[in-house]
């Protein structure tokens, strides 16, 4: 239950919002789709982000900058309009429902990091960076979680993604019914030149430890053509470890993830022909 004395704040400056959230029991309110479920009991105040001018998407040099207040729909529309980040676009378009995608923000999704996150695996695979308010250092999304910045009180200002047209990003989510929280989200980014994989980043969420990057599988692929031997080697190192619940055993989840991984690599092989 949420307190009846809950105070709402509507700051127009990020510095004001930062001061407010340093106080006990006061947090940011973005799309508001998660707050009731996770933090309601001890809440004293909510800081509305809608006047902080965080809902921009623009190209700056070689980067695309996505304001933390953008909704999933804003990002999908931008990607479709500019024909960019097809994998990210597809992943977000499959999340939740249209009314929810019109509310859920990228900032709230990053801070929240639910196990069913559709955002994290493509962003880590794309090596996206985060700018936080009042902090000089730019963190990769990977480090934001690994270094536990996610657990501190902060405001995400924007996401920075290199707009690299050579990159192929393929994302798969596992759920039986479309409108169901995904069990896992697998994203693979490949950089290919002259039929050789120059670089790859393989990331899964929904696993033990929130996310996992398969650096040995990446190593098996990088610098090589996609021969049967290379594919087999990368498959060998792709061993995601899952928790269990009433739905599926960890072994079954791992099996499905392996099938998806193999499918993606073979899909790339077709594209490279
Ligand atoms: C039925 C349903 C299905 C869903 N399915 C999916 C799905 O398939 N894939 C998916 O990815 N998501 C899905 N979601 C969304 C996900 O579960 C969260 O609800 C959502 O990511 C939270 O985003 P929000 O903008 O609503 O954040 P809020 O609920 O407003 O906030 C969440 C947290 O983030 C903090 N916060 C907000 N903005 C910032 C910021 N700029 N900087 C720092 N902290 C901030 C808040 O203080 C709070 O702690 C689904 C949600 C629902 C209700």
């Amino acid at each position: 239950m949420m307190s009846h004395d809950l105070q709402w704040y509507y700051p127009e400056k990020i510095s004001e919002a930062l001061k407010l959230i340093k106080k006990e029991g006061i947090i940011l309110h973005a799309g508001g789709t998660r707050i009731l479920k996770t933090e309601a009991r001890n809440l004293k105040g909510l800081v509305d982000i809608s006047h902080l001018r965080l809902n921009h998407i623009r190209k700056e040099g070689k980067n695309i900058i996505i304001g933390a207040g953008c909704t999933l729909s804003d990002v999908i529309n931008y990607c479709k309009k500019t024909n960019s980040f097809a994998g990210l676009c597809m992943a977000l378009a499959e999340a939740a429902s249209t009314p929810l995608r019109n509310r859920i923000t990228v900032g709230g999704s990053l801070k929240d990091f639910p196990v069913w996150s559709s955002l994290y695996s493509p962003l880590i695979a794309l090596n996206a960076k985060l700018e936080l308010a009042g902090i000089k250092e730019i963190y990769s999304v990977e480090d934001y979680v690994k270094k536990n910045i996610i657990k501190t009180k902060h405001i995400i200002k924007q996401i920075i993604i290199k707009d690299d047209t050579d990159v192929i990003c393929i994302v798969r989510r596992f759920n039986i019914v479309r409108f169901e929280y995904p069990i896992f989200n697998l994203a693979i980014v490949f950089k290919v030149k002259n039929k050789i994989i120059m670089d790859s980043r393989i990331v899964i969420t929904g696993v033990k430890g929130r996310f996992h990057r398969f650096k040995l599988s990446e190593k098996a692929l990088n610098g090589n053509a996609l021969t049967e031997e290379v594919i087999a080697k990368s498959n060998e190192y792709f061993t995601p470890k899952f928790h269990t619940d009433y739905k599926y055993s960890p072994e079954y989840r791992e099996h499905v993830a392996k099938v998806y991984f193999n499918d993606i690599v073979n899909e790339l092989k077709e594209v490279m022909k």
Side-chain angles (χ1 to χ4, degrees):
M1 264 282 280
M2 210 172 247
S3 159
H4 291 298
D5 305 325
L6 190 76
Q7 178 79 42
W8 278 86
Y9 301 91
Y10 301 93
E12 294 188 359
K13 290 185 181 155
I14 290 191
S15 54
E16 288 170 39
L18 257 183
K19 267 190 208 153
L20 285 165
I21 63 160
K22 299 279 173 195
K23 294 180 189 167
E24 195 56 39
I26 300 184
I27 62 166
L28 294 176
H29 177 278
T33 61
R34 186 76 169 143
I35 285 172
L36 273 176
K37 280 192 176 172
T38 49
E39 322 215 23
R41 213 174 289 160
N42 303 319
L43 269 188
K44 292 188 182 132
L46 288 173
V47 180
D48 177 70
I49 66 153
S50 54
H51 302 289
L52 298 178
R53 291 178 290 279
L54 292 175
N55 55 347
H56 52 271
I57 308 188
R58 58 174 178 264
K59 189 156 186 188
E60 268 181 27
K62 288 184 176 161
N63 295 323
I64 301 292
I65 312 289
I66 303 173
C70 288
T71 62
L72 302 191
S73 298
D74 292 333
V75 179
I76 295 163
N77 292 338
Y78 178 87
C79 293
K80 283 186 179 162
K81 204 169 80 188
T82 56
N83 225 349
S84 51
F85 302 117
L88 175 66
C89 180
M90 203 188 88
L92 299 187
E94 287 181 337
S97 61
T98 308
L100 278 164
R101 289 192 295 273
N102 290 339
R103 279 213 66 87
I104 298 167
T105 66
V106 290
S109 302
L110 283 166
K111 176 71 168 103
D112 192 35
F113 198 170
V115 285
W116 51 85
S117 171
S118 307
L119 187 63
Y120 262 94
S121 60
L123 284 190
I124 296 175
L126 288 161
N127 199 14
K129 310 275 191 310
L130 291 183
E131 189 181 329
L132 309 184
I135 297 173
K136 271 197 184 149
E137 190 166 348
I138 302 285
Y139 293 100
S140 65
V141 175
E142 193 170 354
D143 279 349
Y144 173 70
V145 182
K146 267 193 181 164
K147 294 185 175 174
N148 271 332
I149 315 295
I150 190 170
K151 291 199 175 144
T152 64
K153 289 192 169 190
H154 60 270
I155 298 179
I156 302 166
K157 273 178 79 179
Q158 49 196 25
I159 303 170
I160 305 161
I161 316 176
K162 196 170 170 206
D163 188 16
D164 193 339
T165 47
D166 292 345
V167 147
I168 301 166
C169 175
I170 305 177
V171 184
R172 290 281 181 282
R173 83 190 225 143
F174 173 46
N175 52 354
I176 300 294
V177 181
R178 208 208 75 70
F179 191 72
E180 177 190 56
Y181 292 123
I183 306 289
F184 65 75
N185 280 275
L186 170 65
I188 312 188
V189 163
F190 303 100
K191 200 168 177 165
V192 181
K193 206 174 173 185
N194 300 330
K195 299 193 176 182
I196 301 290
I197 298 184
M198 308 307 288
D199 198 13
S200 61
R201 288 171 69 95
I202 303 164
V203 181
I204 195 165
T205 49
V207 287
K208 286 185 176 172
R210 288 185 169 211
F211 78 92
H212 193 83
R213 236 186 102 189
F214 296 90
K215 294 192 179 173
L216 289 175
S217 291
E218 293 170 7
K219 206 171 154 195
L221 294 170
N222 296 347
N224 290 308
L226 269 185
T227 60
E228 291 305 318
E229 200 188 343
V230 167
I231 294 177
K233 196 92 196 142
S234 66
N235 267 296
E236 197 184 306
Y237 294 123
F238 184 80
T239 52
K241 296 295 168 227
F242 291 90
H243 290 291
T244 190
D245 64 16
Y246 68 96
K247 277 186 182 162
Y248 311 104
S249 68
E251 293 79 19
Y252 179 67
R253 290 166 201 238
E254 181 172 345
H255 172 73
V256 177
K258 278 171 172 280
V259 171
Y260 283 18
F261 177 77
N262 195 43
D263 284 354
I264 293 177
V265 177
N266 280 295
E267 194 178 316
L268 178 73
K269 197 177 167 192
E270 286 303 308
V271 174
M272 282 164 71
K273 268 186 185 165

